[in-house]
Amino acid sequence: MSSEKKHLAIDFHVHVDERVKYQHIPSVLRSRGLDGAGLLAHNDFAFAKKVTEMFKAKDKEKIYLAGVEVDTADGHIIAYGINEEIPPNRPSEETIELISDLGGVSIIPHPFMSHNSVGWKAYTLKADAMEFYNGFAKIFLNFPNIMAKVAFKHNGFSEVGGSDAHHVHAIGTCYSIVEIDGEATEEKVLEALRNQKTQPRKKPIDQHDIANFFKIIFTPKEGRKVVRFFDYF
Ligand SMILES: [Zn+2]
Ligand SMILES: [Zn+2]
């Protein structure tokens, strides 16, 4: 049995929903040189799980993780390694505790992206990981990412990067290097997220980041009218 160390490139923040052309994800992973992706939907684990299972069945070469980006009372929290919906709008500490009780891994994404982020409260949260490079934050001269690093570098979070891609070609603009032993499995990736075996990476800003920015700001929140204006991206 080999226990050779391997480094995987994984984007832990890839959105899938009806407005994302997620069918292209396997080919984008290849063109971007990534080994896998964490697939998320806002408050809808079932949808992310459905898409993930579809890719897992068809594409055995890459790692696909199903997760959810849940709205808490304090801001977004990402969960992986769970197998059920995480109820939204609870206090962030309760949400993180629930994820842990379910055997999952919690990530604090983009801690300083204004209204949808936990901000300084992250000091008190026992999440497994924090996103130090977020693709959307790159648009703001990377400032929210720099603030996250300055504020939380020494708080024991595993450090990850994720593109926050709502636009399929933005996958991999930020990603993580994940250290594992031997054969790549989903469980080993989750273990790495628990044990600080991850490092964030980001690519220089490009047109995919800009397209993603517009896609995010023009994507309506649940319950609002759908704006289809930016579908051609
Ligand atoms: Zn978010
Ligand atoms: Zn997101």
Side-chain angles (χ1 to χ4, degrees), residues 13 15 40 42 69-71 75-78 109-110 113 116-117 131 134 136 164 166:
H13 199 151
H15 280 275
L40 303 169
H42 288 287
E69 183 167 18
V70 63
D71 288 335
H76 292 172
I77 297 288
I78 290 173
H110 52 67
M113 286 302 298
N116 58 14
S117 308
E131 201 173 65
N134 172 273
F136 187 64
D164 215 340
H166 291 65

Side-chain angles (χ1 to χ4, degrees), residues 19-85:
R19 289 178 290 268
V20 175
K21 295 180 176 110
Y22 55 79
Q23 300 81 352
H24 300 300
I25 289 173
S27 66
V28 175
L29 293 184
R30 283 162 175 81
S31 64
R32 289 282 199 165
L34 293 169
D35 299 299
L39 307 183
L40 303 169
H42 288 287
N43 303 313
D44 189 357
F45 176 68
F47 189 84
K49 171 106 179 154
K50 190 177 86 180
V51 174
T52 304
E53 293 301 325
M54 186 179 86
F55 290 147
K56 275 184 178 173
K58 280 199 225 167
D59 181 11
K60 312 272 186 210
E61 285 173 19
K62 302 290 177 190
I63 296 268
Y64 294 97
L65 305 166
V68 62
E69 183 167 18
V70 63
D71 288 335
T72 74
D74 309 301
H76 292 172
I77 297 288
I78 290 173
Y80 285 114
I82 46 153
N83 211 14
E84 59 189 82
E85 292 293 346

